[in-house]
Amino acid sequence: MDLDGLDPNRMPRHVACVMDGNGRWAVKQGLPRTEGHRAGEEALFDATCGALDLGIPYFTVYAFSTENWRRPHEEVRFLINVIADRLLTRRRDQLHAMGVRIRFIGRRDWRVPRWVVRRMDEAMELTRKNTAMTLTVAFNYGGRAEMVDAVKAIVGSGLPASKIDERTVRRNLYDPSLPDPDLVIRTSGEYRISNFLLWELAYSELVFTDVLWPDFRREHLAEAVAEYQARDRRYGNAGSHRGDEGIPG
Ligand code: FPP
């Protein structure tokens, strides 16, 4: 990959993507929407390889939202099968060989078929010790659901209200070890967050591109990183300096 112009010392530690535009891509090609998701999976693999080449330690993608269940049954089934059959079998082994650790965030115990949960667990277990990069797949994920689930866990723990602060909430997110994203990319020319990582992206830089997700390649990732590196991150302060895990200093 052409790293010209990118500063290796200012690589984002965590990049997250809203992979949007699969359906429109397919319609433009005269194909069924599901073909857009199939092509989107290829794009995801290429982008993941790109993130690895760039030395980005955490790469997170929005694969299926808590709202996506409202789509036609056939499309939901197809999407779940792409994730379960492609990502969690063939890709799993390729990613494992590349040293990628696979993780999931989202509601595991709500609507997700048990066999899919089993494959998710197998992929996490197989790749648990890998250190080249962490690929986190947001599956059956909603930012508001994540906050509701965190509140439930905190209330369930019996912690008194006076003891609850931002760190308490962070500790009760789906994956407390995941750093806040430095950069969030959304494809397809839509300017929305769509319930993605609502707590975590408080201080993220947002980059929007018109590229439809199935056309997204590692070069587009590098372009987004270049745009990120040109930004001045202030975290609510006057000067340019890094916050502590996204919490303003
Ligand atoms: C949005 O496009 C995309 C999704 C709802 C799913 C993203 C899924 C993939 C990229 C498939 C592979 C994923 C994994 C993890 C293997 P859209 O259908 O909303 O497109 P539109 O806005 O053009 O209709």
Side-chain angles (χ1 to χ4, degrees):
M1 181 180 335
D2 181 11
L3 285 177
D4 273 2
L6 289 185
D7 179 350
N9 299 313
R10 292 186 56 224
M11 279 296 163
R13 184 166 171 228
H14 182 183
V15 176
C17 283
V18 180
M19 309 184 286
D20 195 16
N22 294 353
R24 275 164 287 163
W25 180 90
V27 168
K28 266 173 77 176
Q29 324 270 324
L31 297 168
R33 287 177 57 83
T34 45
E35 285 306 309
H37 298 314
R38 199 192 304 278
E41 192 278 332
E42 305 276 343
L44 169 59
F45 187 67
D46 197 72
T48 305
C49 295
L52 195 62
D53 282 356
L54 288 175
I56 293 166
Y58 292 90
F59 189 56
T60 298
V61 292
Y62 205 1
F64 192 89
S65 77
T66 44
E67 289 71 39
N68 284 155
W69 295 105
R70 295 185 199 136
R71 293 188 176 208
H73 177 70
E74 274 313 299
E75 187 176 341
V76 168
R77 213 172 61 154
F78 188 91
L79 261 173
I80 291 179
N81 280 336
V82 169
I83 293 165
D85 284 340
R86 263 306 172 99
L87 176 74
L88 293 176
T89 51
R90 183 156 70 87
R91 291 298 189 212
R92 179 197 71 180
D93 294 337
Q94 282 175 287
L95 292 166
H96 182 47
M98 287 154 54
V100 174
R101 185 169 71 124
I102 304 173
R103 308 269 301 161
F104 293 90
I105 52 173
R107 276 193 174 155
R108 289 162 52 92
D109 52 359
W110 183 71
R111 288 186 147 185
V112 185
R114 293 233 55 81
W115 66 275
V116 177
V117 174
R118 257 199 314 278
R119 281 203 194 164
M120 283 160 56
D121 286 342
E122 284 163 13
M124 285 196 280
E125 181 55 28
L126 175 73
T127 61
R128 186 166 58 91
K129 294 195 178 132
N130 292 344
T131 55
M133 191 181 83
T134 298
L135 170 67
T136 303
V137 179
F139 177 67
N140 200 20
Y141 176 89
R144 289 185 174 179
E146 181 173 36
M147 288 191 210
V148 168
D149 291 348
V151 170
K152 282 184 180 165
I154 295 165
V155 170
S157 75
L159 198 68
S162 60
K163 295 268 187 238
I164 297 170
D165 59 13
E166 290 190 11
R167 283 183 183 78
T168 321
V169 176
R170 161 160 276 291
R171 272 199 299 274
N172 284 280
L173 297 177
Y174 291 133
D175 184 352
S177 69
L178 193 64
D180 288 343
D182 302 294
L183 166 62
V184 177
I185 303 167
R186 183 176 187 136
T187 56
S188 88
E190 304 283 350
Y191 300 85
R192 284 188 297 277
I193 289 304
S194 300
N195 205 11
F196 190 41
L197 303 175
L198 293 183
W199 176 275
E200 298 86 336
L201 57 66
Y203 288 93
S204 306
E205 294 297 326
L206 309 179
V207 168
F208 299 95
T209 167
D210 287 340
V211 174
L212 300 175
W213 178 259
D215 289 330
F216 193 88
R217 291 293 175 270
R218 56 187 83 192
E219 293 74 18
H220 300 110
L221 177 67
E223 279 167 25
V225 171
E227 193 170 332
Y228 162 83
Q229 290 190 338
R231 304 262 178 100
D232 178 19
R233 301 188 76 191
R234 288 197 293 275
Y235 299 97
N237 293 303
S240 169
H241 46 165
R242 202 186 155 94
D244 174 22
E245 290 298 328
I247 298 170

